[in-house]
Amino acid sequence: MKLDPRTKLFLAVVANGMIFTAPLVYSLLMVFVTSILLLLEGKWKFVCTFLFVYLGAALFFDSVKKMDIGTSGTIILALLFLMYRIMPACVVLYYVITTTKVNEFLACMSRMHVSNKVTIPLIVMIRFFPTVFDESRAIGNAMRMRGIRLFSLRTLKSPVAFLEYRLVPLLVSITKIGDELSIAAVTRGLSAETKRTCVAKIGFRWADAVVCAYCIVVVVMFL
């Protein structure tokens, strides 16, 4: 089900509003529609893992908060609260970023007459996170070839080695990736104030109408 980028942005705004301000039932409604969209994209492993962790954290939080717990229990309770409140928002953002191409997003911003001062940082951000994930996976593969794993005997004996071989290269790569993406955006003329053309075809379809209607119904129910 291919959605227009504007529909995805509307879904993200409504979902975040419901997740952080409304009761849990409205958060579940937004989790439901996002999970369906991810399943239609073929990400069933990700959806199953997310639902297991999310529902487990919500149920465990509901049972733990009624108990008389100490300081350690309060810390666990706070972590559970953050998990079942922030995880849905992260999943919605994951759906928007992984299913939206840069040229489609650029066409969407152009249709909405958004300034380049807002568009360019958002485009860099959309390309930044997937690139960092790929770089982290490549560093992990290279370190595993050298016998450096998260739970390996060598790493357990010297935790600093894990930071040295995994974290430091990733931080250096992140700095370079940010600079390279910014330079690429300027090189392609995204900073120009003239009206640009785009080969990406975007537009509202019946799927967009269904998702937008669902979000509006949820908002009306909350109000």
Side-chain angles (χ1 to χ4, degrees), residues 76-96:
I76 295 175
L77 199 64
L79 291 175
L80 291 173
F81 178 79
L82 290 176
M83 284 179 64
Y84 91 85
R85 276 297 188 182
I86 295 180
M87 278 185 65
C90 295
V91 170
V92 174
L93 183 62
Y94 171 80
Y95 168 73
V96 173

Side-chain angles (χ1 to χ4, degrees), residues 5-15 30 211-213 215-216 219:
R6 288 165 288 186
T7 303
K8 296 177 185 177
L9 292 177
F10 180 65
L11 172 64
V13 171
V14 174
M30 301 312 302
V211 174
C212 290
C215 294
I216 292 173
V219 173

